[in-house]
């Protein structure tokens, strides 16, 4: 594997353009031309069925070429049989194959790509769908804690309906049902829903359905909050709900998978739920990418709330910054993201905020820039503000400073703060109360849980007791069942008799009731008729009374209105003249009005009294008639009821007698059956008790015997073990003593007393056999010398025997191959084998501690060192733990006896035979089987599972299953398959269901083959479905057009064609056709009308084709006409003519038409050019001739042309190539003239030529288009003529698809060489050039490659440099180099990134020379880093009061201003200035002294008071108006006056100001009157009067209403 660049220690993480890929760069700067590895196409997640082939594919790039490896999270890929990694060179793909995938291989797989400059990694999930049951693992052998770890977590998943293409994901509705209305549009965009009206209708319907489901378990749900990621890395959502049953289960799902959750007390729990009163708070700790998904809260089976947690994988390009504002202003936080996100979470002091009055949240159009505006900031808004998106967050601090212009907030501010503090204390109090209540509820819940646990333990004890009782009750139950069966039969007899009696009684009662109801119906009809007439008379009287009343009221109202109008007119007139007369008129008007009202009321009351009297009289008469009719009806009803009751009683008496007799007999039979059943039950119970006691006795005896044998074997084994142990200890002691003795002997042979310091080997650098007194010895050192330096000089001895005695001891028997777990099916044989290191030893076999021998189905085999135990005919009792023991050594294994489903071969063969039934009959499939329960049985028809239903009945038992399909139809025909599976295996069997039925009708269209004077022949298509059995024939009927009867033609053989020769010329016929099989006739297919005997000639054939031409013969061929004219074609006439002639001559004899569709014309002249045409002939005669053929010359075939000449390229581009050539030279007798040309191309990597033009071109030039850019092609041209194709002419070398080479050159003459950008803004520099071939483009900044944050985009004719957010460090000279094989060109641009300049320091003034002032100031802080910074000085004196520039582009910090006049005050401002603009000014102190002036006195003139009062006056008068009836009329005039006059309108001297029929306005002296609908009563004189204390004025006009 490639290693990182040595010695860098750099790990820069960056994102790939491929989502989900993370790249780590090992170097700070990549060398030119080298890149980090990356994915072009990454592996995708895969969901596959168990047993299939799974594979992941990846396409990568990088320079140098990276190495690719694969891995997985939970395991390795070292097994070459399970994981195959290879490289596909053709498609450049790296592939990981997983054949025969298993559920254990479900995991997250990683693809790692590495080269020396970096590493790229991406992941893909493999989900495996399990099929059938899995084999059970052996039971754990260790303690229960290990067993608990082996238990698999039970995952409960909610079923989600599979969606088809075009359907909406069901999760869309689950999210939308719990979302706020403001989020509807965003959710619809995410799921691709565009029809909002349909969505809202569907949503309302689903809300009603969900509310109905929720009401089953909760009383109300409110205050739901969507899931949010908090600043501490947790995600929370909550809802308030009141449960109807507090013990209802609350379930939490994620993507349909049920989650376990805690109560929030354990910090290690991932998911938690806390309850505070009616509030349920769900939280997710340590949120990671795997926590994204759809979360749902269910109560029992009803969904309460759904929320989606999305964690977009984005980063912050711009983080939040610290913000300072003055109290009362708005503060804004802004962040920029790397990818678009429609919505993020904003938090203020770790509390989420939403868009509202206080906070304004906005998002840019590209969804990458998010802003939070805090409005009207106060001290309470101080704190940390956080933007959270996915798993990333950005923080910014808000500091609110005091307003320097404010002097306190006053009483209102103090009151507001006190109210806020009071609200905060109240919230804290409520929160404490809520938490206390929650703790109380939690304690109650825990106590309830403890009580439930105690109840569960008691229930388990009761369950054990019930199991024991159930065994004793089983025998009693069987006897009781038999007795109940006998009683049931007796009861059925009794019930049948009672039913018949009751039926007769009910029939009699029904007839009596019908008679009674008929009488009552007639009486009721008579009463209703009388009441209806009375009601009509009553309504008529009331109507007349009401009409009289309304007429009187109307007259009174008219008189009242007239009196009121007159009174109003008199009142207004009197008011205008004098107030006293007005009061008198009002009094008289009121008196007259009261008198009129009194009279009207008296008349109204008199009319109402008369109407009431007439109404009462009519009601009384109607009531008397109704009572009389009711009395007569009641008498008739009572008489009928009495007779019916007598008949009913008689029938009931007879039925009761019959019922009692039947009940007596049934009771006797029931008692007899009960007696017999009781006796049988007692006998069965006695026998069962005896058998149970006998079985218990035998079981106890067997148990005691087994215990005795086990104890004996255990004692024997202990004795043997003790003996073996003693023998081993004895041997070990003896061997130890021998070893010590041998060691002592060896020590004596060594140095003895003087050489005891040696070890006999010389390895301790001491002599082994010599003395140390003189430093000499014969021992050997490590290097072969003696223990001292004089060893070489001494005489060496030859050693005899072993230096160290061999003390290795044989430790006895041990296993070379131990036992291994084995599985076998019931009825098969199983073999357990092992191998030890000795062939002489014999061991013992044990099963579950019991010794085994070669009997009872066991065979013990010893073959040298191999020991085998063979279990013949395995049964369930043989399953267990087997042990082989030899001399204290043991090996154990488990035998698992499987009982998979089995189907007998004969039964399977019989089941496979098709089941044939007729339509409407039932089809039955029965299949016996065997196998261990539980067994799952599934029936399928055409791979679709059959479920129990109306027409499908499935019977299941432990030994067989049966499928019954009732009332089968033809569409039920198909394959029937059954799957039987248990925990061991799955078996399948297949059969076929054939339902026989009548065939479907024959298919059209009906094609008329012949319609001549002698016959009609037509054909049709067979039926689409033959009904399951072959068609025998067709049945035809015929009808002549104009007649009503059908004549039978009869049955014809099974060919779909018929020829009818029994016809009349000129008639039309219609036929009915039915198909027939063994089940009957199909429905009828009726043909269209077919005419017979009409004179119809055939159509014209296609123009003849010239097959070949010779000097004495021309061969022609043609196709038949599309229309035969209703008859069959009997031949053709062929005609010819010379080119340029108009005379056609027939080739074939006139009475001998050509039968075939080809002909050889021999009557030709060599060298002449001919054209041919042909006409078809049917029974009616010849038809129209065809068009002329191509010209053919009577001569022998031509020779192919030669090669083209001067083949060359005239033009090229990246996608096209232009060619030209010269036609080949004609060589007589060898190469003829060329008539056209073909162009063929071949890619350099391919071997086959492809012809570009399908038709030969005549021109000697051609352009090939559609080529790949910069690809290499071979090109050739082939000449062709009538004699064939000539030899190809090609280029000597391949041709590259590219335009002619062009040296790079910049084409935009207006490119700027200098650019100024404000810091933080975007920088975009685009250049345009022309070059061929495509050049290499490199951007440099100040001679080095550009930084990472600079984005370079290259295209065919240009390049662009882009900086999203510029910084001051981006200032420099940027150079772009465009280079190809022809040459290169360079363009440079200076980019200056700067910011608004900071102002200079304080300005000091000094006068060195009279009439001048010297200004000096501290430099601006930006002067050191901006060499373009300069200063500008402005002044203003006390006379001109305007600022003028004194000096600009000043690069020092001092300047002397001249022309300073005495007696004037001067102000100076100094600005710092750069390429962006001016800074804030630095203001100097005031310079100069104020000149003393003499006192000037001015006498103000005395002002006079003007009187603006004026009497009323009309400045615009009314005009004459003429209007038709029904139209509007608008009058207006204008009046002035001070004070504003009062305006009054009059019509015929009657005031209109209070009349609602007129709309009167007075706006700024413009007076207007609007009559909405002009009538005759509006005709007359209209006057406007303007009045004020200074006088009055008036103007008048007339309104004329046209008739």
């Amino acid at each position: 594997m490639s290693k990182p660049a040595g010695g860098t220690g750099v790990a820069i993480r960056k994102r790939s353009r491929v989502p989900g890929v993370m790249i780590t760069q090992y170097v700070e700067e990549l060398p030119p031309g080298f890149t980090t590895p990356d994915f072009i196409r990454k592996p995708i997640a895969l969901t596959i069925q168990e047993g299939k082939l799974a594979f992941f594919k990846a396409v990568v790039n990088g320079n140098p070429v990276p190495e690719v490896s694969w891995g997985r999270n939970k395991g390795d890929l070292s097994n070459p049989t399970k994981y195959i990694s290879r490289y596909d060179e053709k498609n450049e793909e790296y592939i990981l194959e997983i054949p025969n995938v298993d559920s254990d291989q479900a995991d997250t797989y990683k693809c790692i790509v590495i080269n020396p400059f970096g590493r790229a990694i991406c992941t893909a999930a493999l989900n495996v769908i399990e099929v059938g049951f899995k084999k059970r693992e052996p039971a754990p052998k260790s303690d229960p804690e290990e067993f608990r770890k082996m238990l698999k977590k039970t995952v409960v998943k909610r079923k989600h309906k599979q969606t088809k293409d075009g359907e909406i994901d069901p999760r869309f509705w689950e999210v939308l049902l719990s979302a706020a209305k403001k989020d509807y549009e965003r959710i619809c965009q995410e799921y691709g829903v565009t029809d909002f009206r349909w969505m809202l209708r569907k949503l309302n319907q689903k809300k009603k359905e969900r509310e109905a489901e929720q009401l089953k378990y909760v009383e109300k749900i409110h205050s739901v909050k969507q899931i949010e990621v908090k600043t501490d890395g947790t995600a929370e959502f909550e809802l308030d709900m009141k449960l109807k049953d507090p013990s209802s289960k609350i379930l939490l799902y994620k993507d349909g998978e049920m989650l376990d959750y805690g109560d929030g007390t354990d910090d290690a729990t991932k998911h938690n739920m806390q309850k505070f009163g009616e509030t349920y708070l769900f939280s997710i700790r340590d949120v990671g990418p795997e926590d994204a998904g759809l979360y749902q809260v269910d109560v029992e089976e009803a969904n309460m709330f759904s929320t989606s947690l999305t964690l977009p994988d984005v980063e912050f390009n711009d983080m939040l910054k610290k913000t300072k504002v003055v109290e009362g202003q708005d503060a804004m936080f802004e962040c920029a993201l790397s990818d678009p996100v429609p919505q993020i979470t904003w938090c203020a002091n770790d509390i989420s905020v939403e868009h509202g009055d206080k906070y304004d949240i906005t998002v840019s159009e590209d969804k990458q820039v998010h802003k939070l505006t805090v409005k009207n900031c106060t001290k309470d808004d101080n704190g940390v503000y956080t933007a959270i998106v996915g798993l990333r967050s950005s923080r910014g601090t808000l500091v609110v400073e005091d307003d320097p212009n404010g002097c306190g907030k006053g009483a209102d501010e103090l009151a507001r703060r006190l109210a806020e503090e009071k609200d905060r204390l109240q919230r804290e109090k409520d929160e404490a109360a809520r938490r206390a209540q929650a703790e109380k509820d939690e304690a109650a819940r825990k106590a309830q849980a403890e009580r439930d646990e105690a109840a569960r333990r008691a229930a388990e004890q009761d369950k054990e007791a019930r199991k024991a009782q159930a065994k004793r009750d089983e025998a009693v139950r069987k006897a009781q069942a038999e007795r109940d069966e006998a009683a049931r039969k007796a009861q059925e007899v009794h019930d049948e008799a009672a039913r018949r009696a009751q039926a007769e009684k009910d029939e009699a009662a029904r007839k009596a009731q019908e008679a009674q109801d008929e009488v009552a119906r007639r009486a009721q009809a008579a009463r209703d008729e009388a009441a209806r007439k009375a009601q009509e008379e009553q309504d008529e009287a009331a109507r007349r009374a009401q009409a009289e009343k309304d007429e009187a009221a109307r007259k009174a109202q008219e008189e009242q209105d007239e009196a009121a109008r007159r009174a109003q007119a008199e009142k207004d007139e009197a008011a205008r003249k004098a107030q006293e007369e007005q009061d008198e008129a009002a009094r008289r008007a009121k008196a007259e009005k009261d008198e009129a009202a009194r009279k009207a009321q008296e008349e109204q009351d008199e009319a109402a009294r008369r109407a009431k009297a007439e109404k009462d009289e009519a009601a009384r008469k109607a009531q008397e008639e109704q009572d009389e009719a009711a009395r007569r009806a009641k008498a008739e009803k009572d008489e009928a009821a009495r007779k019916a009751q007598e008949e009913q009683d008689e029938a009931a008496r007879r039925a009761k007698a019959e019922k009692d007799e039947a009940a007596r007999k049934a009771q006797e039979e029931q008692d007899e059956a009960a007696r017999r059943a009781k006796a049988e039950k007692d006998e069965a119970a006695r026998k069962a008790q005896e058998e149970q006691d006998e079985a218990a006795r035998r079981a106890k005896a067997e148990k005691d015997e087994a215990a005795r044998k086990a104890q004996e074997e255990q004692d024997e084994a202990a004795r043997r073990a003790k003996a073996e142990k003693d023998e081993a200890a004895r041997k070990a002691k003896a061997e130890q003593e021998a070893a010590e003795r041998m060691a002592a002997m060896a020590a004596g042979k060594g140095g003895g007393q003087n050489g005891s310091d040696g070890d006999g080997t010389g390895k301790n650098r001491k002599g082994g056999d010599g003395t140390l007194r003189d430093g000499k010895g014969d021992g050997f050192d490590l290097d072969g010398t003696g223990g001292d330096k004089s060893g070489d000089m001494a005489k060496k001895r030859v050693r005899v025997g072993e230096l160290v005695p061999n003390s290795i001891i044989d430790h006895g028997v041990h296993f070379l191959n131990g036992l291994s777990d084995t599985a076998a099916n019931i009825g098969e044989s199983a073999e357990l084998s092992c191998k030890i290191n000795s062939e002489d030893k014999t061991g013992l076999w044990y099963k579950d501690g019991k010794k085994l021998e070669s009997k009872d189905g066991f065979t013990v085999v010893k073959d040298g060192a191999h020991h085998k135990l063979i279990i013949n005919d395995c049964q369930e009792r043989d399953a267990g733990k087997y042990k082989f023991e030899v001399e204290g050594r043991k090996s154990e294994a488990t035998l698992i006896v499987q009982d998979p489903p089995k189907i007998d071969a004969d039964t399977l063969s019989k089941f496979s035979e098709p089941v044939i039934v007729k339509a409407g009959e039932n089809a039955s499939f029965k299949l016996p089987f065997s196998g261990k329960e539980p067994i799952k049985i599934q029936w399928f028809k055409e791979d679709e599972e059959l479920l129990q239903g109306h027409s499908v009945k499935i019977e299941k038992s432990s030994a067989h299953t049966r499928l019954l399909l009732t009332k089968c139809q033809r569409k039920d025909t198909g394959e029937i398959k059954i799957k039987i599976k248990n925990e061991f295996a799955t078996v399948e069997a297949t059969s076929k269901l054939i339902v026989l039925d009548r065939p479907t009708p024959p298919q059209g269209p009906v094609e008329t083959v012949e319609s001549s004077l002698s016959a009609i022949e037509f054909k049709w298509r067979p039926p689409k479905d033959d009904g399951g059995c072959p068609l025998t024939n067709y049945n035809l009927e015929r009808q002549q057009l104009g007649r009503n009867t059908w004549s039978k033609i009869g049955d014809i053989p099974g060919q779909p064609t018929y020829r009818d020769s029994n016809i009349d010329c000129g008639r039309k016929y219609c036929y009915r056709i039915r198909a027939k099989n063994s089940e009957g006739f199909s429905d009828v297919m009726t043909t269209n009308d077919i005419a017979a005997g009409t004179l119809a000639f055939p159509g014209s054939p296609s123009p003849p084709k010239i097959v070949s031409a010779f000097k004495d013969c021309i061969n022609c061929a043609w196709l038949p006409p599309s229309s035969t004219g209703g008859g069959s074609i009997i031949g053709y006439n062929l005609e010819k003519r010379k080119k340029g002639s108009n005379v056609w001559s027939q080739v074939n004899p006139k009475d001998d038409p050509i039968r075939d569709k080809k002909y050889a014309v021999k009557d030709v002249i060599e060298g002449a050019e001919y054209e041919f045409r042909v006409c078809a002939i049917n029974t009616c005669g010849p038809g129209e001739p065809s068009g002329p053929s191509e010209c053919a010359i009577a001569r022998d075939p031509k020779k192919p042309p030669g090669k083209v000449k001067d083949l060359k390229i005239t033009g090229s581009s990246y996608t096209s190539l232009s060619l030209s050539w010269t036609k080949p030279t004609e060589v007589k007798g060898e190469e003829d003239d060329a008539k056209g040309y073909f162009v063929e191309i071949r890619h350099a990597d391919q071997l086959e030529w492809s012809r570009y033009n399908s038709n030969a071109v005549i021109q000697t030039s051609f352009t090939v288009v559609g080529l790949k850019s910069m690809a290499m092609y071979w090109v050739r041209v082939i000449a062709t003529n009538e004699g064939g194709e000539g030899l190809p002419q090609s280029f000597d070398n391949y041709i590259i698809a590219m335009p002619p080479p062009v040296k790079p050159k910049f084409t935009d003459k207006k490119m700027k060489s200098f650019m100024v950008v404000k810091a933080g803004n975007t920088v975009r520099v685009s250049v345009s050039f022309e070059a061929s071939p495509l050049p290499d483009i490199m951007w440099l900044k100040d001679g080095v490659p550009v930084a990472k944050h600079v984005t370079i985009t290259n295209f065919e004719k240009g390049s662009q440099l882009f900086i999203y957010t510029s910084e001051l460090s981006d200032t420099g000279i940027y150079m772009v180099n465009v280079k190809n094989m022809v040459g290169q060109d360079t363009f440079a641009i200076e980019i200056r990134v700067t910011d608004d300049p900071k102002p200079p320091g304080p300005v000091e003034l000094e006068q060195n020379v009279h009439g001048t002032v010297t200004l000096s100031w501290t430099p601006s802080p930006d002067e050191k880093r901006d060499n373009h910074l300069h200063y500008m000085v402005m002044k203003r004196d006390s006379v001109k009061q305007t600022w003028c520039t004194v000096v600009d582009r000043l690069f020092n910090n001092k300047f002397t201003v001249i022309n300073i006049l005495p007696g004037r005050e001067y102000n100076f401002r100094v600005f710092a200035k750069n390429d962006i603009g001016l800074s804030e000014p630095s203001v100097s102190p005031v310079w100069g002294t104020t000149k003393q002036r003499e006192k000037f006195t001015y006498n103000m003139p005395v002002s006079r008071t003007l009187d603006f009062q004026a009497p009323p006056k009309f400045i615009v008068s009314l005009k004459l108006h003429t209007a038709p009836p029904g139209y509007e009329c608008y009058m207006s005039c204008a009046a002035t006056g001070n004070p504003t006059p009062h305006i009054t309108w009059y019509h015929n001297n009657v005031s209109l100001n209070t009349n609602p029929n007129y709309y009167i306005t007075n706006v700024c002296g413009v007076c207007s009157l609007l009559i909405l609908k002009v009538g005759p009563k509006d005709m007359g004189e209209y006057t406007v009067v303007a009045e004020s204390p200074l006088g009055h004025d008036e103007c008048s006009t007339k309104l004329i209403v046209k008739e």
Side-chain angles (χ1 to χ4, degrees), residues 1224-1237:
T1225 305
E1226 182 178 0
V1227 180
K1228 191 170 184 180
E1230 295 180 4
E1231 297 175 352
D1232 288 339
D1233 190 18
K1235 296 297 185 181
Y1237 304 93

mmCIF file of all heavy atoms in Angstrom, residues 1224-1237:
data_model
loop_
_atom_site.group_PDB
_atom_site.id
_atom_site.type_symbol
_atom_site.label_atom_id
_atom_site.label_comp_id
_atom_site.label_asym_id
_atom_site.label_seq_id
_atom_site.Cartn_x
_atom_site.Cartn_y
_atom_site.Cartn_z
ATOM 1 N N PRO A 1224 -11.000 8.277 -59.462
ATOM 2 C CA PRO A 1224 -9.989 7.364 -60.045
ATOM 3 C C PRO A 1224 -10.031 7.394 -61.574
ATOM 4 O O PRO A 1224 -11.033 7.724 -62.207
ATOM 5 C CB PRO A 1224 -10.388 6.004 -59.467
ATOM 6 C CG PRO A 1224 -11.833 6.131 -59.145
ATOM 7 C CD PRO A 1224 -12.048 7.554 -58.738
ATOM 8 N N THR A 1225 -8.900 7.004 -62.163
ATOM 9 C CA THR A 1225 -8.766 6.965 -63.630
ATOM 10 C C THR A 1225 -9.412 5.696 -64.172
ATOM 11 O O THR A 1225 -9.277 4.620 -63.599
ATOM 12 C CB THR A 1225 -7.289 6.999 -64.031
ATOM 13 O OG1 THR A 1225 -6.676 8.146 -63.429
ATOM 14 C CG2 THR A 1225 -7.138 7.068 -65.542
ATOM 15 N N GLU A 1226 -10.152 5.828 -65.276
ATOM 16 C CA GLU A 1226 -10.820 4.687 -65.885
ATOM 17 C C GLU A 1226 -9.824 3.930 -66.779
ATOM 18 O O GLU A 1226 -9.159 4.507 -67.641
ATOM 19 C CB GLU A 1226 -12.014 5.157 -66.724
ATOM 20 C CG GLU A 1226 -12.797 4.020 -67.359
ATOM 21 C CD GLU A 1226 -14.004 4.518 -68.144
ATOM 22 O OE1 GLU A 1226 -14.208 5.767 -68.165
ATOM 23 O OE2 GLU A 1226 -14.715 3.695 -68.712
ATOM 24 N N VAL A 1227 -9.705 2.600 -66.560
ATOM 25 C CA VAL A 1227 -8.837 1.712 -67.365
ATOM 26 C C VAL A 1227 -9.751 0.734 -68.076
ATOM 27 O O VAL A 1227 -10.427 -0.068 -67.434
ATOM 28 C CB VAL A 1227 -7.832 0.965 -66.465
ATOM 29 C CG1 VAL A 1227 -6.953 0.046 -67.316
ATOM 30 C CG2 VAL A 1227 -6.970 1.961 -65.685
ATOM 31 N N LYS A 1228 -9.812 0.803 -69.345
ATOM 32 C CA LYS A 1228 -10.763 0.016 -70.127
ATOM 33 C C LYS A 1228 -10.471 -1.475 -69.974
ATOM 34 O O LYS A 1228 -9.352 -1.934 -70.112
ATOM 35 C CB LYS A 1228 -10.698 0.424 -71.608
ATOM 36 C CG LYS A 1228 -11.835 -0.148 -72.428
ATOM 37 C CD LYS A 1228 -11.873 0.454 -73.813
ATOM 38 C CE LYS A 1228 -13.069 -0.060 -74.603
ATOM 39 N NZ LYS A 1228 -13.116 0.516 -75.973
ATOM 40 N N GLY A 1229 -11.556 -2.185 -69.658
ATOM 41 C CA GLY A 1229 -11.451 -3.629 -69.492
ATOM 42 C C GLY A 1229 -11.016 -4.047 -68.107
ATOM 43 O O GLY A 1229 -11.141 -5.216 -67.744
ATOM 44 N N GLU A 1230 -10.511 -3.095 -67.285
ATOM 45 C CA GLU A 1230 -10.048 -3.457 -65.943
ATOM 46 C C GLU A 1230 -10.759 -2.646 -64.862
ATOM 47 O O GLU A 1230 -11.252 -3.192 -63.896
ATOM 48 C CB GLU A 1230 -8.540 -3.265 -65.833
ATOM 49 C CG GLU A 1230 -7.735 -4.191 -66.740
ATOM 50 C CD GLU A 1230 -6.247 -3.967 -66.584
ATOM 51 O OE1 GLU A 1230 -5.870 -3.140 -65.716
ATOM 52 O OE2 GLU A 1230 -5.449 -4.604 -67.299
ATOM 53 N N GLU A 1231 -10.807 -1.345 -65.014
ATOM 54 C CA GLU A 1231 -11.426 -0.459 -64.027
ATOM 55 C C GLU A 1231 -12.311 0.524 -64.756
ATOM 56 O O GLU A 1231 -11.829 1.275 -65.610
ATOM 57 C CB GLU A 1231 -10.362 0.284 -63.217
ATOM 58 C CG GLU A 1231 -9.466 -0.630 -62.397
ATOM 59 C CD GLU A 1231 -8.364 0.144 -61.710
ATOM 60 O OE1 GLU A 1231 -8.223 1.352 -62.015
ATOM 61 O OE2 GLU A 1231 -7.655 -0.428 -60.856
ATOM 62 N N ASP A 1232 -13.621 0.497 -64.401
ATOM 63 C CA ASP A 1232 -14.578 1.402 -65.019
ATOM 64 C C ASP A 1232 -14.684 2.688 -64.224
ATOM 65 O O ASP A 1232 -14.095 2.851 -63.139
ATOM 66 C CB ASP A 1232 -15.942 0.715 -65.142
ATOM 67 C CG ASP A 1232 -15.924 -0.361 -66.231
ATOM 68 O OD1 ASP A 1232 -15.055 -0.297 -67.115
ATOM 69 O OD2 ASP A 1232 -16.783 -1.269 -66.165
ATOM 70 N N ASP A 1233 -15.521 3.591 -64.769
ATOM 71 C CA ASP A 1233 -15.700 4.905 -64.146
ATOM 72 C C ASP A 1233 -16.436 4.762 -62.814
ATOM 73 O O ASP A 1233 -17.321 3.916 -62.657
ATOM 74 C CB ASP A 1233 -16.496 5.801 -65.086
ATOM 75 C CG ASP A 1233 -16.494 7.237 -64.592
ATOM 76 O OD1 ASP A 1233 -15.617 7.559 -63.763
ATOM 77 O OD2 ASP A 1233 -17.358 8.015 -65.030
ATOM 78 N N ALA A 1234 -16.065 5.600 -61.813
ATOM 79 C CA ALA A 1234 -16.714 5.588 -60.495
ATOM 80 C C ALA A 1234 -18.013 6.395 -60.536
ATOM 81 O O ALA A 1234 -18.077 7.453 -61.167
ATOM 82 C CB ALA A 1234 -15.773 6.159 -59.437
ATOM 83 N N LYS A 1235 -19.031 5.858 -59.865
ATOM 84 C CA LYS A 1235 -20.330 6.541 -59.783
ATOM 85 C C LYS A 1235 -20.605 7.129 -58.393
ATOM 86 O O LYS A 1235 -21.532 7.901 -58.233
ATOM 87 C CB LYS A 1235 -21.448 5.540 -60.110
ATOM 88 C CG LYS A 1235 -21.394 5.014 -61.546
ATOM 89 C CD LYS A 1235 -21.600 6.124 -62.564
ATOM 90 C CE LYS A 1235 -21.670 5.579 -63.973
ATOM 91 N NZ LYS A 1235 -21.840 6.653 -64.972
ATOM 92 N N GLY A 1236 -19.848 6.747 -57.389
ATOM 93 C CA GLY A 1236 -20.064 7.260 -56.033
ATOM 94 C C GLY A 1236 -18.914 6.855 -55.138
ATOM 95 O O GLY A 1236 -17.994 6.127 -55.544
ATOM 96 N N TYR A 1237 -18.988 7.335 -53.876
ATOM 97 C CA TYR A 1237 -17.876 7.099 -52.958
ATOM 98 C C TYR A 1237 -18.443 6.837 -51.560
ATOM 99 O O TYR A 1237 -19.459 7.402 -51.147
ATOM 100 C CB TYR A 1237 -16.947 8.325 -52.908
ATOM 101 C CG TYR A 1237 -16.435 8.729 -54.274
ATOM 102 C CD1 TYR A 1237 -17.127 9.691 -55.020
ATOM 103 C CD2 TYR A 1237 -15.294 8.130 -54.824
ATOM 104 C CE1 TYR A 1237 -16.680 10.046 -56.284
ATOM 105 C CE2 TYR A 1237 -14.862 8.503 -56.087
ATOM 106 C CZ TYR A 1237 -15.551 9.451 -56.807
ATOM 107 O OH TYR A 1237 -15.113 9.807 -58.054
#
